[in-house]
Amino acid sequence: MAKVKVDGTEIEVRDDMTILQACEEAGKEIPRFCYHDRLSIAGNCRMCLVDVEGSPKPVASCAMPVNEGMSIHTNTQKVKKAREGVMEFLLINHPLDCPVCDQGGECDLQDQTVAYGSGKSRFDLNKRSVEEKYMGPLIKTYMTRCIHCTRCIRFSEEVAGVEEIGAVNRGENMEITTYLEKSIDSEMSANVIDLCPVGALTSKPYQFEARPWELKKTETIDVMDAVGSNIRVDTYGWKVKRILPRLNEDINEEWISDKSRYACDGLLNQRLDTPYVRHDGNLNATDWNDALNECLSSMKNHKPDEIAFLVGDFIDLETSYLIKQLSESLNIKKIECRQEGVRLPYSDRSQYLFNSTINGIEESDCILIIGSNVREEAPIINTRIRKHLLNKNIPIGLIGEKFDLTFDYEHLGNDLNILKSISDGENNFCKILGKAKKPMIIIGQSVLNRDDSLNAYSLIEDIVHQYSFLDSSWNGVNTLQLSASRIGALDMGCYQSSRSLKDIYADAESGSLKLLFSFGADEIDYSKFQNTKIIYMGSHGDRGASNADLILPSAAYTEKDAIYINTEGRLQYAYQASFPPSEAKTDWKIINQISEMLNLNWGFVTLDDVREKIKNQYPDLFNQVSADRPYKRLLANKASKISFDNKEIESMIKDFYLTDSISRLSKTMAECSQIRKELRNGKAI
């Protein structure tokens, strides 16, 4: 620790801190453009100048470490004059286009010009003009505004892990570009928009849509994957105009994926806003009374073993609970939430959670990934792994398809027999696992949905118990889920231990399944249900609605208060940002209304009633997330004879941008998908 004085006040700070960090510890605001807490130090804007006693001139506080006894002044006349000079210099070429800039009202340059600028310029020559650069369908460039802070370059290299943004030329002629002027091939690319302090990089889909002060801002949770990134939804009227990240150190830090940010335009397309019933092959609009009566008639006309419930990817915890209650009340046994076709007979929550926690990744000293393309299945987790690798240089092994995960790893092969070689101690990676104190294993759904998944999991558990994946303070066994609803639905028991989705398919094809109630399940193969009546409850006219005989329109995730549980078991509250269109209702109200018409007498009047019941019945769900939760073995013993299907592990995600009903109806995501295909086919655009 070092003792320093900041504006006459003595404080004690860590030896590895910079002057800027020490000043912030003392409660002093230091202006900056190039400095960012999560990026390397560049020290090129010079806006953070302070006066240090003994120094002949002001120093860049972001790049200067503290020393014992240092005396720092942040508000002297020398500092004021230096900052005014820097600001004047930065504004030499910056255009006076604030009225038409999308950054207006949220611009660091505006704020700091008012706070620290001199209010005048001595530069009377022509301003420099820079051509726009192409960075893809998400990022709009106005490079004349650029002040060369290089935040975008450092983010691309250090966080996103794609070295596609850089600088050419020097001095005043320096330009930020993608070199070949092609789209940035990254799932995290649009975070550079948030990082840009001057409006040089703005949101292309959001261009000229609204001003910040016109928008209603709602803090909520993202549901585009199972990570549960903290987001802010900005709405104008009932329309979602943009989605931005919120700070959460335990989950997404301050980043979100491009799909989380831009799939929101799909919320406006092909919405189900009124009930529909199919007559003579055509879907016709109807009212809620007729639709619910048709629903009840269908359910009463079939035996319980002729009915199946399927729970989709966006279903919240409260709705999952009511679906389970409905199935039990009607004695419907066929219920499934695992659209990937997972077959494991879960008996404890630790068997399907990301037990180490997302933040716990940075504690691990070795990672073994099995059957998961982490980059596309959970970009935030991929980013966290890369961050940890850059800091600690830990060994990482991958079993499965060979992917570009933006970090270095050892590809062990795409054959589940490798698990057997590790279990038997015959693989070279065993030496690495043997030395590790806190190893992690990440199990992807690509392994768990196979017919031989029980054999694979048996070996995984054997490996886990051979090495140091488990102890009193560490659980390194992690299952990576793909959808926001999965953990909550599994917690509520919306599955059969002895059956899977494939068994429901078999029932439909044999004719024993007469009625399918699909709760937003759009990722299943509806061709299997050609002879089955389908009731669909959901928000969008996607696969489920197009095959349904009866449609009950529900709210999207931005249009309701709800609880979601992320892949690490963290309970999160989502809040309503807009309203469902026309006659659409929130999911839980639809199911509750069905229960009332069936005289089930649940007694739920408000959403709080449902939540209180869940809390009483499942109190552990509301406990604090930690990495010391015990892991209970799924399979009693290692299988006596292990064999695998003669096929490679195939990734569950074929197109990152088109994985669900909302993103498939997003024009922005469709454009991103097309451009990525062209990029990876060798066409630079």
Side-chain angles (χ1 to χ4, degrees):
M1 303 293 286
K3 290 183 179 180
V4 298
K5 283 186 177 180
V6 180
D7 292 337
T9 302
E10 187 174 86
I11 61 170
E12 194 172 26
V13 297
R14 297 197 318 269
D15 294 329
D16 59 349
M17 278 189 170
T18 63
I19 292 176
L20 186 150
Q21 292 169 325
C23 291
E24 290 190 333
E25 286 284 310
K28 304 295 181 179
E29 181 181 353
I30 305 296
R32 84 290 302 267
F33 290 114
C34 69
Y35 176 80
H36 192 277
D37 291 341
R38 303 188 195 277
L39 304 176
S40 60
I41 295 171
N44 49 14
C45 78
R46 285 322 201 232
M47 195 62 205
C48 64
L49 294 174
V50 296
D51 188 17
V52 178
E53 290 186 9
S55 176
K57 57 184 179 180
V59 300
S61 60
C62 70
M64 178 72 72
V66 295
N67 290 317
E68 178 68 31
M70 183 178 278
S71 183
I72 306 159
H73 300 281
T74 66
N75 55 5
T76 63
Q77 190 62 32
K78 182 195 289 187
V79 172
K80 182 176 182 295
K81 186 177 180 181
R83 291 173 179 172
E84 288 178 353
V86 170
M87 185 62 70
E88 185 179 357
F89 178 77
L90 292 174
L91 292 174
I92 282 177
N93 288 308
H94 195 85
L96 299 175
D97 61 351
C98 295
V100 296
C101 178
D102 274 328
Q103 194 89 346
E106 301 172 316
C107 179
D108 291 346
L109 187 64
Q110 282 183 332
D111 296 340
Q112 295 190 37
T113 298
V114 172
Y116 304 102
S118 65
K120 60 183 180 180
S121 175
R122 290 165 287 182
F123 187 78
D124 57 3
L125 302 177
N126 293 329
K127 290 179 178 283
R128 178 196 63 168
S129 180
V130 182
E131 291 184 356
E132 291 187 24
K133 311 298 182 183
Y134 179 75
M135 292 189 179
L138 306 179
I139 304 170
K140 178 68 175 176
T141 63
Y142 293 93
M143 303 316 293
T144 302
R145 300 172 184 163
C146 181
I147 63 169
H148 305 160
C149 71
T150 69
R151 281 186 178 184
C152 54
I153 297 175
R154 285 175 282 148
F155 173 85
S156 176
E157 293 180 354
E158 298 166 13
V159 181
V162 290
E163 299 180 358
E164 296 181 357
I165 303 179
V168 296
N169 305 323
R170 300 180 65 186
E172 186 184 45
N173 297 318
M174 175 178 165
E175 297 181 18
I176 306 296
T177 179
T178 56
Y179 299 118
L180 298 176
E181 294 212 23
K182 65 181 182 67
S183 179
I184 301 172
D185 189 12
S186 170
E187 298 77 15
M188 305 288 291
S189 65
N191 287 286
V192 299
I193 298 168
D194 301 328
L195 288 171
C196 182
V198 297
L201 305 176
T202 59
S203 175
K204 190 175 286 187
Y206 177 69
Q207 187 180 16
F208 305 141
E209 285 288 325
R211 286 298 194 181
W213 53 85
E214 299 175 321
L215 301 173
K216 175 190 173 186
K217 302 170 179 61
T218 305
E219 296 184 349
T220 184
I221 301 299
D222 172 58
V223 299
M224 289 295 114
D225 55 29
V227 172
S229 297
N230 286 223
I231 59 173
R232 193 188 82 194
V233 177
D234 290 356
T235 55
Y236 187 88
W238 74 277
K239 293 183 178 180
V240 175
K241 288 295 184 180
R242 66 177 181 178
I243 291 177
L244 299 174
R246 287 192 295 125
L247 179 67
N248 189 312
E249 296 289 356
D250 293 329
I251 304 176
N252 59 302
E253 297 181 307
E254 57 188 271
W255 321 121
I256 55 172
S257 72
D258 292 345
K259 184 165 60 178
S260 299
R261 188 187 297 265
Y262 285 119
C264 58
D265 63 329
L267 294 168
L268 304 176
N269 299 329
Q270 291 185 215
R271 289 302 305 271
L272 302 175
D273 57 0
T274 191
Y276 288 87
V277 63
R278 191 178 296 275
H279 291 299
D280 300 326
N282 298 317
L283 286 170
N284 301 307
T286 185
D287 58 36
W288 271 104
N289 284 333
D290 289 345
L292 290 174
N293 285 326
E294 176 68 20
C295 176
L296 263 63
S297 176
S298 299
M299 296 175 72
K300 289 179 179 179
N301 290 337
H302 295 97
K303 298 176 182 178
D305 61 354
E306 296 176 336
I307 305 174
F309 287 177
L310 292 183
V311 182
D313 290 348
F314 294 137
I315 298 299
D316 51 81
L317 181 71
E318 299 96 331
T319 304
S320 292
Y321 174 76
L322 294 181
I323 293 170
K324 180 62 175 177
Q325 294 301 304
L326 184 63
S327 71
E328 290 181 346
S329 299
L330 301 178
N331 198 30
I332 295 170
K333 304 295 186 183
K334 297 174 182 177
I335 181 170
E336 186 58 71
C337 64
R338 300 169 294 183
Q339 293 188 83
E340 298 87 6
V342 175
R343 305 181 63 86
L344 295 184
Y346 294 127
S347 57
D348 188 78
R349 126 179 263 235
S350 65
Q351 296 156 0
Y352 52 79
L353 291 182
F354 201 94
N355 293 295
S356 301
T357 74
I358 297 170
N359 207 29
I361 291 172
E362 299 185 38
E363 298 180 34
S364 66
D365 54 4
C366 174
I367 301 176
L368 176 61
I369 303 172
I370 305 173
S372 176
N373 180 0
V374 190
R375 178 175 174 179
E376 295 193 352
E377 294 175 8
I380 293 297
I381 290 179
N382 188 79
T383 299
R384 189 67 73 106
I385 294 174
R386 173 177 170 80
K387 173 188 175 184
H388 185 42
L389 182 64
L390 293 178
N391 290 334
K392 296 279 184 76
N393 193 28
I394 64 170
I396 299 176
L398 171 67
I399 301 174
E401 288 188 63
K402 193 173 184 178
F403 304 107
D404 178 9
L405 298 179
T406 73
F407 51 78
D408 294 331
Y409 62 86
E410 181 182 351
H411 186 232
L412 305 178
N414 192 7
D415 186 349
L416 285 180
N417 285 299
I418 296 167
L419 291 174
K420 192 173 187 307
S421 70
I422 297 175
S423 175
D424 294 339
E426 298 172 354
N427 194 283
N428 291 332
F429 203 74
C430 295
K431 298 178 181 178
I432 297 172
L433 291 175
K435 295 178 182 178
K437 303 297 183 185
K438 285 188 174 182
M440 282 180 56
I441 192 166
I442 299 176
I443 310 163
Q445 300 299 306
S446 301
V447 174
L448 305 181
N449 75 331
R450 296 165 56 106
D451 292 335
D452 55 7
S453 60
L454 286 175
N455 285 342
Y457 207 88
S458 174
L459 286 173
I460 290 171
E461 288 196 318
D462 189 55
I463 294 168
V464 163
H465 287 84
Q466 281 189 47
Y467 300 98
S468 305
F469 288 92
L470 300 169
D471 62 32
S472 59
S473 61
W474 177 252
N475 186 341
V477 186
N478 304 291
T479 300
L480 182 58
Q481 302 292 343
L482 301 183
S483 69
S485 70
R486 189 71 73 252
I487 297 297
L490 290 171
D491 285 338
M492 296 299 101
C494 296
Y495 67 99
Q496 287 183 279
S497 297
S498 59
R499 292 168 58 89
S500 71
L501 181 62
K502 294 179 182 179
D503 296 304
I504 294 177
Y505 286 158
D507 291 342
E509 292 178 325
S510 69
S512 63
L513 183 68
K514 304 295 185 181
L515 177 64
L516 173 68
F517 204 144
S518 172
F519 300 92
D522 288 294
E523 311 312 313
I524 64 173
D525 184 0
Y526 278 96
S527 66
K528 306 287 189 182
F529 302 97
Q530 293 181 359
N531 299 316
T532 305
K533 185 171 183 177
I534 300 173
I535 301 173
Y536 178 79
M537 185 185 80
S539 60
H540 285 74
D542 197 50
R543 298 168 181 170
S546 62
N547 288 278
D549 299 289
L550 175 65
I551 296 175
L552 307 176
S554 64
Y557 74 101
T558 58
E559 299 161 359
K560 60 185 178 181
D561 292 328
I563 294 175
Y564 292 93
I565 301 179
N566 76 345
T567 190
E568 60 180 356
R570 185 184 301 273
L571 190 135
Q572 300 175 296
Y573 289 87
Y575 296 99
Q576 183 178 10
S578 58
F579 297 93
S582 192
E583 297 181 43
K585 300 180 179 182
T586 53
D587 310 62
W588 81 270
K589 286 184 177 180
I590 298 173
I591 300 173
N592 194 51
Q593 194 169 351
I594 292 173
S595 74
E596 290 175 353
M597 296 176 71
L598 290 169
N599 297 316
L600 297 180
N601 300 317
W602 289 345
F604 299 134
V605 178
T606 66
L607 184 61
D608 287 337
D609 293 338
V610 182
R611 290 178 174 178
E612 188 65 27
K613 186 72 173 180
I614 296 172
K615 192 172 184 178
N616 292 335
Q617 195 166 340
Y618 303 93
D620 291 343
L621 298 184
F622 294 81
N623 293 340
Q624 186 72 23
V625 173
S626 63
D628 61 353
R629 62 164 66 95
Y631 173 81
K632 293 186 179 180
R633 192 159 188 155
L634 175 62
L635 306 173
N637 297 295
K638 179 181 176 181
S640 57
K641 186 178 180 181
I642 298 290
S643 62
F644 295 106
D645 298 341
N646 189 24
K647 60 180 183 180
E648 296 182 335
I649 304 170
E650 296 183 6
S651 174
M652 293 295 301
I653 294 183
K654 305 302 180 183
D655 191 330
F656 168 74
Y657 297 104
L658 306 174
T659 55
D660 53 76
S661 59
I662 295 176
S663 60
R664 281 193 291 270
L665 297 174
S666 164
K667 294 180 180 179
T668 306
M669 292 295 97
E671 188 176 356
C672 288
S673 174
Q674 182 61 33
I675 288 175
R676 169 165 282 190
K677 289 177 183 177
E678 294 176 355
L679 279 173
R680 296 189 173 181
N681 287 332
K683 183 180 178 181
I685 56 176

